[in-house]
Amino acid sequence: MSAVPELRITLAGAERVVAGGTTYGDALEADGRSVIAARANGELKDLAAAVSEGDVIEPVPVGSADGRAIVRHSTAHVMAQAVQEIFPEARLGIGPPVENGFYYDFDVKSPFTPDDLKRVEKRMREIVKQGQLFSRRAVSDDDARAELAAEPYKLELIGLKGGAGSDDGADVEVGGAELTIYDNLDPKTGELCWKDLCRGPHVPTTRSIPAFKLMRSGGAYWRGSEKNPQLQRIYGTAWESRERQDEYLHLLEEAEKRDHRKLGAELDLFSFPDELGSGLPVFHPKGGVIRRVMEDYSRRRHEEGGYSFVNTPHITKGHLYETSGHLHWYKDGMFPAMELEGAEYYLKPMNCPMHNLIFKSRGRSYRELPQRFFEFGSVYRYEKSGVIHGLTRVRGMTQDDAHIYCTREQMQDELKSLLNFVLQLLKDYGLDDFYLELSTRDDSDKFIGTAENWETATEALRQAAISSGLELVPDPGGAAFYGPKISVQAKDAIGRSWQLSTIQVDFNLPERFELEYQAADGSRQRPIMIHRALFGSIERFFGVLVEHYAGAFPPWLAPVQVVGIPIAEAHAPYLHDLAKKARERGIRIEVDASDDRMQKKIRNAQKSKVPFMLLAGDEDIANGAVSFRFRNGEQRNGVPIEDAIDEIVSAIERRVQV
RNA sequence: GCCGACGUAGCUCAAUCGGCAGAGCAACAGUCUUGUAAACUGUAGGUCAGGGGUUCGAUUCCCCUCGUCGGCUCCA
């Protein structure tokens, strides 16, 4: 028989024997469309790679997480090829897959224009249609250097091979044990069309890319450091099918419609007057109602939760922030000092130091711990101009900030009940899909305090997080300089995650402020401090709620809960009467007595996303009734006035969405 | 802060290759009195983001500043 050796592999749980030289594609009978790669013993492989003795082989479907990443990575290659064909002087950076898509960085003489992107995309479609083969080839470091002599960034990556730096996407290029280059070959002639240093794997041919679209371009620092030169990044998206891509693009459209900056202007909630400066919002009456209701409810819950309310000023002499360490660790994030009477005054970037002064204002007993101070505290931070973004990233904001002073023994229970409190309150505002992130220190020197304290605090947070039963995602190195934190990430109505509440344990500030309480044995002990912002900031949470509800707030939060619409002018007094009764029950109601047609009034109320419209004409008046129109266009006619008011009051009190 | 795009009426957008700035909606006034998403007519509204420059003349071309948008970096 043949001299070709036989190999034993495991496929779909069953052992099989195949001839040497069999590829993963052969073994899986993969079509290169629905199955685009293989997983052998856990490692992703090209379909064209040969199987090895003992391989346990699984297919990688194009629509799986791995499959999508491969498609996206391959699309990034196609894009880079197109870019270099159109702009031969373009040098390559890196081109990894990312969530929902991919990017590739290029060093080009001038940044890409939208028109450039169109040209690149057009060329990409030609390449995809041509069905170029992705062909893998191992190279030695020296050969790679010679082949890529014209690609300085790739040369730098070769130098990094095996090194640390895997957090910047570079490992996509050089992450493997050996360097490999992927050649893109013409399927008819076998001619080399393009090549790139790459770990792989890739789809078998460019035809295996079912759907893609270039999205946008922008500057990006080489290897993520602002000390490095800035390259030009092009972002694209790619999917396993046209349908999935359309769904994704539709989601983006939906997100755009919900943009709180847009809705904030449309619904007359808030604005950013240029005169005030960037990142400084003002809330209009309608936004003001929402804020007030949000805050009132929060205050009530905090009162029930055993918090004490405190108030502190917006500016302070610098000494306070020397004590706290902010002027040392955080000066770049603060507005510069104002010189007054020989002292330097600073706008406050955080409330905690002032709360510490309140704790310190007299001797404290263990009997009064845990002591929970709460404040809607306004803080000002000098955010760099390029990062300011609507209400989610501002320079002046109000934190719903609390600081809890407790003993070491109390810390664990306090954290558990705190997390519970936070989650319950967020649910009341209509968010109910959460996960947690545990941010811990790493080796960086930006973290202060003893390793032992960090360990204790981290472990206490971890326990609290675990007891919540929510998914816990580690975030090494993400902690504040003074202590570890849990952040609550909430998913909104269209599945986007927002970082909201943070809970941080701090051994450091009590130390710096020399905070003490007297213990039962008469000794003086240092309390532990827990920092906690629930909304994060009111502005940010406000923005999140606008997007979550797409501006259609549930009745309890809606700035106007009811609009009364007379069928004709003569019916207005009847609605004014009704409105008076409703206001007595605490309902925010307006009667639209303008000259507009009834249909126009409905349209206006609908556009302002009012939860309830109450219409009244001759028929209703004859019956002492009113007719509902709801946001979804449904109506219910002839409802007795008292019943209508009861129904609205009930919806408000139960904080339900309608 | 860095790279890029952009800034015209309250909003959404036209126009001017350097020669008196235009529409819809909103606002205001009047007419009309209507049963579930836009009645009709009229009026008013602009230092074309701000400042400087080039020019006989700048909203238009150039520079600076401010602001917005998309990225990067950052986000205690």
Side-chain angles (χ1 to χ4, degrees):
Chain A
M1 287 290 288
S2 157
V4 178
E6 293 187 333
L7 300 170
R8 273 185 303 276
I9 60 171
T10 306
L11 202 61
E15 285 215 5
R16 276 180 45 185
V17 175
V18 296
T22 298
T23 67
Y24 292 107
D26 297 337
L28 290 165
E29 294 172 11
D31 55 2
R33 293 284 178 135
S34 56
V35 172
I36 48 133
R39 178 179 282 284
N41 315 316
E43 244 179 86
L44 293 172
K45 298 282 189 184
D46 290 328
L47 290 181
V51 304
S52 305
E53 173 68 21
D55 276 352
V56 178
I57 303 171
E58 300 161 81
V60 175
V62 66
S64 65
D66 286 331
R68 280 181 186 165
I70 291 168
V71 166
R72 288 167 182 163
H73 188 186
S74 298
T75 313
H77 272 231
V78 172
M79 179 170 80
Q81 178 179 347
V83 166
Q84 287 200 314
E85 286 178 6
I86 298 171
F87 306 96
E89 80 287 357
R91 299 283 67 101
L92 301 173
I94 59 168
V98 292
E99 191 178 4
N100 296 327
F102 61 89
Y103 66 80
Y104 214 116
D105 290 342
F106 304 95
D107 187 353
V108 281
K109 284 198 187 76
S110 55
F112 298 106
T113 65
D115 218 49
D116 292 337
L117 293 199
K118 277 189 199 137
R119 287 165 68 203
V120 170
E121 187 170 307
K122 180 161 177 280
R123 178 61 195 136
M124 287 172 70
R125 300 214 178 277
E126 290 165 7
I127 294 169
V128 165
K129 204 170 171 190
Q130 194 190 352
Q132 293 181 10
L133 307 170
F134 282 90
S135 174
R136 180 190 179 93
R137 142 171 85 85
V139 289
S140 71
D141 286 17
D142 287 344
D143 288 350
R145 283 197 181 89
E147 279 195 53
L148 298 165
E151 294 288 354
Y153 300 97
K154 295 292 184 191
L155 292 178
E156 190 176 330
L157 294 179
I158 293 170
L160 288 171
K161 183 176 68 126
S166 63
D167 56 342
D168 56 9
D171 61 333
V172 169
E173 322 289 327
V174 294
E178 55 177 1
L179 287 180
T180 49
I181 285 179
Y182 273 80
D183 295 322
N184 278 52
L185 305 175
D186 184 304
K188 296 201 179 86
T189 65
E191 193 185 333
L192 177 68
C193 303
W194 190 72
K195 65 183 171 187
D196 190 10
L197 179 73
C198 184
R199 182 192 59 182
H202 279 286
V203 296
T205 87
T206 54
R207 266 189 185 279
S208 307
I209 297 170
F212 75 90
K213 184 178 189 317
L214 297 191
M215 304 299 284
R216 56 172 55 96
S217 62
Y221 296 110
W222 168 237
R223 304 195 62 227
S225 167
E226 58 187 329
K227 296 186 186 84
N228 289 337
Q230 197 158 44
L231 308 181
Q232 291 301 316
R233 175 171 298 179
I234 302 179
Y235 280 95
T237 190
W239 295 86
E240 67 269 27
S241 67
R242 190 59 193 263
E243 291 70 36
R244 288 293 297 128
Q245 174 160 299
D246 287 346
E247 272 176 46
Y248 171 66
L249 296 176
H250 182 76
L251 177 78
L252 293 184
E253 269 174 44
E254 184 60 26
E256 210 175 306
K257 277 189 224 151
R258 288 167 176 260
D259 190 317
H260 72 277
R261 295 167 299 184
K262 187 171 165 252
L263 288 171
E266 276 173 16
L267 300 177
D268 196 16
L269 302 178
F270 57 85
S271 61
F272 293 88
D274 287 356
E275 291 84 343
L276 296 189
S278 189
L280 298 168
V282 294
F283 284 78
H284 301 191
K286 288 201 168 105
V289 169
I290 299 172
R291 255 189 94 138
R292 201 208 75 228
V293 174
M294 283 168 62
E295 291 174 4
D296 281 353
Y297 183 66
S298 168
R299 280 199 187 90
R300 206 182 92 209
R301 293 300 304 273
H302 277 85
E303 232 158 14
E304 292 164 3
Y307 286 78
S308 309
F309 289 63
V310 299
N311 280 292
T312 62
H314 294 202
I315 75 173
T316 164
K317 285 193 280 193
H319 180 70
L320 182 69
Y321 292 118
E322 279 163 23
T323 306
S324 67
H326 284 97
L327 278 176
H328 181 68
W329 298 96
Y330 190 61
K331 192 164 187 182
D332 287 349
M334 293 169 64
F335 278 95
M338 290 169 267
E339 298 280 346
L340 286 169
E341 297 163 344
E344 294 197 319
Y345 282 81
Y346 288 90
L347 284 172
K348 115 177 129 172
M350 286 183 157
N351 300 301
C352 32
M354 295 197 185
H355 289 188
N356 286 348
L357 297 183
I358 297 171
F359 184 89
K360 234 185 133 169
S361 64
R362 62 170 169 78
R364 299 284 172 180
S365 156
Y366 73 96
R367 294 174 194 272
E368 54 184 332
L369 301 184
Q371 183 69 249
R372 307 181 184 94
F373 291 161
F374 175 86
E375 174 181 18
F376 285 114
S378 297
V379 297
Y380 299 88
R381 301 177 179 186
Y382 177 66
E383 301 286 359
K384 289 193 219 163
S385 60
V387 307
I388 289 168
H389 183 92
L391 288 175
T392 56
R393 198 76 183 274
V394 293
R395 283 179 170 165
M397 60 170 157
T398 308
Q399 291 186 308
D400 60 330
D401 208 359
H403 296 97
I404 297 165
Y405 304 86
C406 65
T407 68
R408 245 168 217 274
E409 295 70 39
Q410 289 167 336
M411 174 171 69
Q412 185 71 74
D413 283 349
E414 190 63 24
L415 286 173
K416 272 187 197 166
S417 67
L418 183 52
L419 186 55
N420 196 38
F421 178 80
V422 163
L423 293 173
Q424 187 51 54
L425 199 43
L426 290 177
K427 280 181 195 160
D428 289 339
Y429 288 93
L431 298 162
D432 52 16
D433 189 355
F434 308 111
Y435 70 92
L436 304 176
E437 214 169 85
L438 180 63
S439 301
T440 50
R441 67 173 293 170
D442 57 17
D443 300 334
S444 149
D445 56 7
K446 77 169 188 174
F447 300 107
I448 57 177
T450 68
E452 188 199 346
N453 280 344
W454 273 85
E455 184 50 37
T456 309
T458 303
E459 203 41 42
L461 283 170
R462 192 192 313 280
Q463 288 309 319
I466 289 169
S467 76
S468 75
L470 294 172
E471 185 193 350
L472 182 62
V473 178
D475 173 31
F481 67 84
Y482 51 76
K485 71 176 178 196
I486 288 178
S487 50
V488 177
Q489 315 276 331
K491 285 192 186 165
D492 73 6
I494 57 172
R496 296 170 301 172
S497 291
W498 302 86
Q499 181 184 318
L500 298 174
S501 322
T502 56
I503 299 173
Q504 308 182 334
V505 175
D506 184 359
F507 291 92
N508 173 58
L509 279 184
E511 189 80 32
R512 296 182 78 104
F513 279 84
E514 300 180 328
L515 302 184
E516 286 181 344
Y517 64 91
Q518 191 147 22
D521 63 4
S523 65
R524 299 207 175 260
Q525 302 289 333
R526 187 130 294 162
I528 285 165
M529 189 175 172
I530 301 169
H531 303 243
R532 185 236 67 176
L534 200 154
F535 295 150
S537 80
I538 302 201
E539 288 77 4
R540 186 180 157 75
F541 192 61
F542 189 108
V544 171
L545 286 186
V546 169
E547 304 216 0
H548 177 61
Y549 289 120
F553 286 96
W556 74 288
L557 287 169
V560 177
Q561 294 163 324
V562 186
V563 170
I565 298 178
I567 300 300
E569 198 176 337
H571 308 123
Y574 178 78
L575 282 172
H576 280 299
D577 271 2
L578 180 152
K580 187 161 175 285
K581 291 196 184 100
R583 284 194 196 100
E584 282 164 7
R585 303 281 302 275
I587 296 173
R588 294 186 290 274
I589 178 169
E590 288 175 1
V591 176
D592 186 347
S594 69
D595 277 350
D596 287 329
R597 291 291 191 274
M598 175 264 296
Q599 287 86 343
K600 180 63 177 293
K601 292 178 182 181
I602 288 171
R603 178 180 153 87
N604 286 343
Q606 197 84 41
K607 279 174 51 173
S608 70
K609 304 182 189 261
V610 173
F612 302 104
M613 284 174 232
L614 292 181
L615 284 77
D618 291 336
E619 283 176 43
D620 300 287
I621 293 177
N623 298 318
V626 76
S627 295
F628 272 99
R629 181 187 161 101
F630 303 96
R631 275 178 179 143
N632 62 6
E634 282 174 25
Q635 49 177 306
R636 199 159 79 244
N637 298 336
V639 181
I641 286 183
E642 288 309 319
D643 294 358
I645 292 178
D646 283 348
E647 176 170 342
I648 292 165
V649 167
S650 162
I652 293 168
E653 282 175 350
R654 289 181 292 125
R655 292 191 303 276
V656 292
Q657 178 61 300
V658 295

